[in-house]
């Protein structure tokens, strides 16, 4: 039964991720041990963050299920609830309701495949969760390619982890920024351009692409040119949400409910939908 | 199924009995529609003799649908305190909820059916299910239909008792009472009612048979049609231009069930509530970024009709409309869902 009651959690840590201060990561721990055990999610799912007096917002789960003792959410300061959340401090209490929606098929379609992850801006959150899930069972997957871009070096999320991943030999990592910047000696260029240069083979592969719609639009042609099909490509949609449980209708895109049927869809599924997202 | 026959006086006695242990509601007449402080608009609390006041209601839909009994305005989902001195500040608590049985009189077959349809998306919703459990629907089979009624076209019938707990129909000098559920059974337990004479039972059955089989409708061809054909139809343009997006049709509709959730704090005491929303409003789909996937009026008008006639049936089977005709009567610019259906049927026929 759907109860709309969040689990009580405590803010255990807050990290300011970006130079503009607009992205913060919140590490949350359950107040009740039983809830820690009860919580089971899949990378790509989301949850409702609940602030008494402010409301609830859907946020992608940035932690992997393998990070068992806490949850991580990276939140962009945008409106009412996200601003209130940004003002909270370590030790404060709030609520989490979920996990909600369908995640990436890490245990099914992705198993045994080469994985190509393409992320733009702060849509990287659930892809961080995915990468960590994959690394925990590295031998279940083939080659892992991770392409991630942000406007400036200071706008990249999870910078410490990016460095750790770069040092591992088992991820083909490409981190890029939009324009030259002092002190940056990495890749420069938009994500679609870099994706075109990396040109990951579609053979026995699956791609997960999350980012602004414009990035997705321009990333597809170079991939299609080398043989990628719509069934191999997974996207994550966003729409305004209220219940997150497929009841309130807010998130509908035609007959599809993003909160329940998604937010993860194959590109083929997305193409069949009216453009109402 | 047990079937009784009662006189109007016996109906009064029944209602009196129910009133002692339950909360009893009846449809308000036009004049008192907004004038009852203790229940939803269009309904009133019943005290004393009701049978005769209910009689005019044997024709056409009640002013308001039964939606508020299952989906109250607002429903409290949880509560909390924000007082600084309280150790439980910010902790979410289960709301206190009434467990009183509510008995709703004068329910139309179309409205009874709407509860069954809304139950499909609300199957797992704790609040809706609790309200269902504590609500008994005492319905009136329709004597006559209005020009705006089209329940038969939507797979229902003016003579249906589906979804009702007790179904009353008019017979000579009184009413036939069909006991349609366990809740209905409980309502008549302890009352000494006479079984209905065989003649009355067969007369009712004959009326129903004459009505034909309502479950298969010519509209079913819409269900198999391609979404693209319906979605891209030129008709939405003119419909969207006419519609003023007032949302009236969605609020009076028994089968419109979407909701918004908000936090409300009064003097340090907070609650999270849900209340009726409408996909006719631009805020409904507005993202924080300012992007609005249904920013145009035509997109919203289309969404309402396609939700009822395509999206809902794709997901659950039946159409999300019971043909009560309220939206037809109350639309300020005379948009008629029956014409919308005709146009869509025409499109699929061409296809
Ligand atoms: C599946 C999913 C995952 C998301 N993941 C993240 C994430 O990881 N990090 C992040 O920063 N943001 C994420 N978002 C967007 C985030 O939910 C919105 O930025 C947030 O709801 C804005 O709330 P607000 O109260 O600050 O803004 P306001 O505009 O004041 O919001 C008012 C209400 O509108 C609704 N709303 C407005 N915009 C959106 C939107 N784009 N999506 C959903 N609901 C909205 C919410 O119910 C909110 O309570 C995600 C959205 C979805 C649907
Ligand atoms: S759409 Fe109109 S006719 Fe159909 S159930 Fe709703 S109010 Fe009644
Ligand atoms: S009542 Fe009529 S004008 Fe108002 S939103 Fe509904 S269809 Fe549009
Ligand atoms: S958010 Fe309520 S149905 Fe998707």
């Amino acid at each position: 039964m759907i109860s709309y009651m969040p689990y009580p959690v405590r803010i255990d840590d807050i990290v300011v991720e970006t130079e503009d201060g607009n992205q913060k990561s919140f590490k949350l721990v359950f107040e009740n041990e039983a809830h820690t055990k009860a919580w089971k999610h899949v990378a790509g799912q989301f949850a409702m963050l609940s602030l008494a007096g402010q409301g609830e917002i859907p946020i992608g789960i940035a932690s992997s299920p393998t990070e068992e003792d806490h949850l991580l959410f990276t939140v962009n300061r945008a409106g009412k609830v996200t601003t209130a959340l940004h003002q909270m401090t370590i030790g404060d209490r709030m609520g989490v309701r979920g996990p909600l929606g369908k995640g990436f098929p890490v245990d099914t379609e992705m198993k045994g495949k080469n994985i190509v992850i393409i992320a733009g801006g702060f849509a990287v959150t659930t892809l961080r969760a995915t990468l960590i899930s994959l690394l925990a069972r590295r031998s279940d997957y083939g080659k892992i390619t991770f392409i991630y871009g942000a406007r400036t070096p200071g706008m990249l999320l999870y910078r410490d982890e990016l460095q750790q991943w770069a040092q591992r030999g088992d991820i083909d990592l490409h981190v890029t920024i939009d324009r030259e910047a002092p002190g940056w000696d990495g890749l420069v260029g938009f994500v679609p351009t870099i994706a075109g240069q990396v040109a990951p083979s579609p053979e026995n592969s699956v791609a997960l692409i999350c980012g602004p719609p414009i990035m997705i639009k321009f990333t597809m042609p170079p991939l299609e040119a080398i043989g990628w099909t719509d069934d191999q490509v997974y996207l994550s949609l966003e729409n305004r949400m209220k219940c997150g449980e497929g009841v309130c209708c807010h998130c509908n895109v035609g007959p599809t409910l993003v909160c329940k049927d998604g937010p993860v869809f194959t590109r083929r599924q997305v193409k069949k939908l009216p453009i109402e997202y | 199924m047990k079937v009784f026959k009662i006189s109007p006086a016996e109906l009064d006695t029944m209602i009196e009995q129910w009133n002692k242990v339950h909360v009893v509601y009846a449809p308000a007449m036009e004049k008192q529609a907004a004038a009852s402080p203790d229940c939803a608009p269009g309904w009133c609390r019943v005290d004393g003799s009701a049978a005769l006041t209910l009689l005019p209601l044997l024709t056409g839909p009640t002013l308001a649908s039964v939606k508020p009994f299952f989906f109250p305005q607002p429903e409290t989902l949880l509560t909390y305190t924000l007082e600084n001195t309280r150790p439980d500040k910010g902790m979410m608590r289960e709301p206190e909820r009434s467990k009183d049985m509510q008995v709703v009189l004068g329910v139309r077959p179309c409205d009874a059916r709407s509860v069954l349809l809304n139950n499909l998306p609300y199957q797992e919703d704790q609040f809706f299910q609790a309200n269902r459990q504590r609500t008994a629907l005492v319905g009136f089979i329709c004597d006559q239909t209005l020009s705006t009624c089209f329940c038969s076209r939507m797979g229902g019938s003016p003579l249906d008792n589906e979804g009702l707990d007790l179904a009353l129909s008019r017979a000579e000098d009184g009413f036939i009472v069909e006991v349609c559920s366990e809740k209905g059974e409980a309502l008549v337990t302890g009352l000494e009612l006479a079984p209905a004479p065989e003649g009355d039972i067969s007369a009712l059955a004959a009326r129903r048979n004459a009505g034909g089989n309502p479950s298969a409708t010519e509209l079913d061809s819409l269900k198999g049609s391609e979404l693209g054909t319906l979605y891209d139809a030129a008709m939405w343009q003119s419909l969207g231009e006419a519609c003023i997006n007032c949302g009236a049709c969605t609020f009076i509709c028994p089968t419109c069930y979407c909701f918004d959730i908000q936090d409300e704090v009064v003097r340090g005491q907070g609650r999270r509530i849900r209340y009726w929303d409408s996909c006719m409003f631009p805020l409904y789909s507005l993202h924080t970024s300012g992007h609005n996937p249904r920013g145009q009026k035509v997109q919203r008008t289309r969404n309402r009709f396609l939700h009822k006639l395509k999206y809902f049936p794709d997901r659950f089977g039946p159409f999300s409309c019971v043909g009560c005709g309220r939206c037809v009567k109350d639309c300020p610019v005379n948009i008629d869902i029956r014409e919308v259906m005709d146009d869509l049927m025409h499109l699929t026929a061409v296809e």
Side-chain angles (χ1 to χ4, degrees):
Chain A
M1 278 284 163
I2 306 167
S3 78
Y4 304 96
M5 182 63 77
Y7 294 121
V9 293
R10 188 169 35 79
I11 302 178
D12 193 49
D13 196 15
I14 301 175
V15 174
V16 181
E17 294 278 357
T18 54
E19 60 189 2
D20 66 358
N22 270 341
Q23 316 279 328
K24 284 186 184 176
S25 286
F26 298 84
K27 184 178 167 191
L28 307 179
V29 293
F30 292 97
E31 297 264 48
N32 181 333
E33 186 61 29
H35 296 158
T36 314
K37 291 217 173 68
W39 182 278
K40 295 256 177 303
H41 77 274
V42 177
Q45 284 189 292
F46 67 100
M48 288 286 173
L49 300 189
S50 171
L51 269 58
Q54 301 294 331
E56 281 188 321
I57 48 166
I59 300 291
I61 306 170
S63 51
S64 150
T66 52
E67 301 167 274
E68 280 171 357
D69 59 336
H70 70 273
L71 296 174
L72 188 75
F73 296 90
T74 304
V75 179
N76 176 40
R77 186 160 56 87
K80 184 180 172 208
V81 182
T82 51
T83 302
L85 184 58
H86 268 243
Q87 285 160 358
M88 290 176 76
T89 53
I90 294 173
D92 283 352
R93 285 163 163 178
M94 50 181 280
V96 172
R97 182 159 68 82
L100 302 167
K102 290 202 177 73
F104 293 109
V106 283
D107 293 321
T108 49
E109 282 89 341
M110 286 164 65
K111 262 222 169 125
K113 303 261 172 69
N114 301 316
I115 312 291
V116 179
I117 296 177
I118 304 179
F122 51 87
V124 69
T125 57
T126 56
L127 295 176
R128 173 203 179 268
T130 311
L131 182 62
I132 291 176
S133 296
L134 302 184
L135 293 178
R137 284 181 295 129
R138 184 65 189 85
S139 57
D140 284 358
Y141 307 93
K143 185 176 175 190
I144 297 179
T145 307
F146 194 94
I147 302 170
Y148 171 36
R151 259 183 295 137
T152 63
M155 291 303 286
L156 290 164
L157 304 184
Y158 317 128
R159 270 167 281 170
D160 293 347
E161 284 175 318
L162 288 175
Q163 266 171 12
Q164 290 166 23
W165 296 337
Q167 267 141 40
R168 296 175 65 120
D170 57 357
I171 311 170
D172 183 20
L173 188 73
H174 307 268
V175 180
T176 179
I177 59 165
D178 288 357
R179 258 168 249 104
E180 298 279 356
W184 178 258
D185 55 6
L187 292 170
V188 176
F190 295 115
V191 169
T193 318
I194 304 298
Q197 286 163 6
V198 173
S201 158
E203 186 129 0
N204 193 36
S205 298
V206 161
L208 319 178
I209 309 182
C210 294
I214 188 85
M215 179 203 96
I216 296 172
K217 186 175 166 203
F218 286 110
T219 301
M220 284 316 295
L223 292 185
E224 277 162 354
I226 53 172
W228 283 84
T229 63
D230 289 339
D231 286 323
Q232 291 172 280
V233 175
Y234 290 84
L235 308 171
S236 187
L237 295 188
E238 261 187 39
N239 244 358
R240 185 167 175 139
M241 291 184 179
K242 283 296 170 178
C243 71
E245 297 266 17
V247 190
C248 78
C249 289
H250 264 271
C251 64
N252 88 294
V253 179
T256 298
L257 298 172
V258 175
C259 71
K260 197 164 167 123
D261 305 327
V264 170
F265 297 94
T266 64
R267 186 152 189 264
R268 178 179 302 280
Q269 291 170 322
V270 172
K271 270 190 169 170
K272 282 199 197 131
L273 298 176
I275 307 176
E276 290 187 0
Y277 46 86
Chain B
M1 193 199 322
K2 284 185 196 154
V3 189
F4 300 107
K5 177 149 188 195
I6 58 172
S7 67
E10 277 175 307
L11 178 58
D12 273 347
T13 318
M14 276 164 83
I15 295 170
E16 244 167 67
Q17 290 297 323
W18 295 335
N19 233 333
K20 284 182 191 153
V21 277
H22 309 309
V23 190
V24 184
Y25 298 93
M29 300 299 142
E30 199 103 30
K31 276 176 258 116
Q32 6 159 180
S36 44
D38 53 352
C39 68
W43 294 91
C44 60
R45 290 282 291 274
V46 174
D47 39 10
S49 154
L52 291 177
T53 15
L54 289 173
L55 279 177
L57 286 167
L58 287 161
T59 304
T62 50
L63 224 74
S65 81
V66 294
K67 187 159 75 171
F69 295 104
F70 301 90
F71 194 176
Q73 279 277 56
E75 177 95 71
T76 304
L77 302 177
L78 50 85
T79 64
Y80 48 84
T81 176
L82 290 181
E83 281 176 45
N84 281 322
T85 51
R86 294 270 294 269
D88 59 346
K89 182 186 169 192
M91 268 171 65
M92 311 277 177
R93 290 184 301 253
E94 299 277 350
E96 273 172 37
R97 283 195 258 160
S98 168
K99 295 212 162 52
D100 293 344
M101 189 74 180
Q102 45 188 15
V103 179
V104 189
L105 304 178
V107 178
R108 297 280 82 99
C110 56
D111 277 3
R113 197 159 164 261
S114 76
V115 182
L116 302 179
L117 293 178
N118 292 348
N119 191 55
L120 297 168
Y122 280 84
Q123 202 92 54
E124 292 296 318
D125 185 277
Q126 208 200 105
F127 296 90
F128 185 89
Q129 294 306 332
N131 291 333
R132 254 198 105 183
Q133 228 157 38
R134 70 183 193 94
T135 308
L137 300 181
V138 177
F140 275 3
I141 301 301
C142 292
D143 260 11
Q144 281 169 18
T145 56
L146 300 184
S147 65
T148 46
C149 294
F150 58 103
C151 52
S152 308
R153 198 172 173 196
M154 302 317 299
S157 153
L159 306 173
D160 240 359
N161 56 24
E162 199 192 359
L164 290 171
D165 297 299
L166 291 181
L168 276 64
S169 46
R170 185 131 62 164
E172 239 171 285
D173 11 295
F175 302 97
I176 307 290
V177 182
E178 294 175 293
V179 182
C180 313
S181 72
E182 273 173 34
K183 263 185 279 171
E185 185 77 51
L187 284 180
V188 293
T189 304
L191 305 172
E192 275 167 34
L193 305 178
E198 202 45 57
D200 283 326
I201 296 179
S202 49
L204 182 57
R207 274 174 77 192
R208 285 193 174 129
N209 282 337
N213 169 20
S215 59
T217 101
E218 28 114 31
L219 283 173
D220 280 349
S221 71
L222 284 185
K223 292 181 186 169
S225 56
E226 283 292 321
L227 172 61
T229 315
L230 305 181
Y231 190 89
D232 296 328
M235 55 182 276
W236 301 121
Q237 209 55 46
S238 53
L239 210 62
E241 272 162 27
C243 172
I244 56 170
N245 270 197
C246 65
C249 55
T250 58
F251 285 95
I252 53 172
C253 177
T255 53
C256 271
Y257 59 82
C258 72
F259 60 81
D260 194 13
I261 301 179
Q262 293 289 338
D263 278 35
E264 184 186 81
V265 183
V266 179
R267 281 187 291 278
Q269 305 311 314
R271 56 178 190 156
R272 185 159 295 159
I273 52 174
R274 76 167 172 207
Y275 53 91
W276 305 354
D277 206 342
S278 170
C279 65
M280 287 295 195
F281 301 154
L283 259 182
Y284 185 86
S285 49
L286 180 68
H287 290 203
T288 305
S289 63
H291 167 64
N292 196 340
R294 285 196 294 270
Q296 295 166 358
K297 207 158 59 121
V298 50
Q299 295 172 312
R300 299 191 285 276
T301 311
R302 171 173 53 201
N303 187 70
R304 169 161 193 268
F305 288 110
L306 284 187
H307 179 254
K308 296 199 163 297
L309 302 171
K310 182 68 183 156
Y311 307 159
F312 190 94
D314 270 2
R315 227 179 162 83
F316 300 111
F319 295 109
S320 177
C321 167
V322 292
C324 72
R326 289 187 181 92
C327 61
V328 178
K329 270 199 294 200
D330 286 2
C331 175
V333 298
N334 294 321
I335 289 175
D336 188 331
I337 186 171
R338 293 171 298 183
E339 287 166 18
V340 176
M341 293 190 302
D342 289 342
D343 290 350
L344 289 175
M345 290 287 292
H346 186 70
L347 266 175
T348 54
V350 172
E351 177 194 38

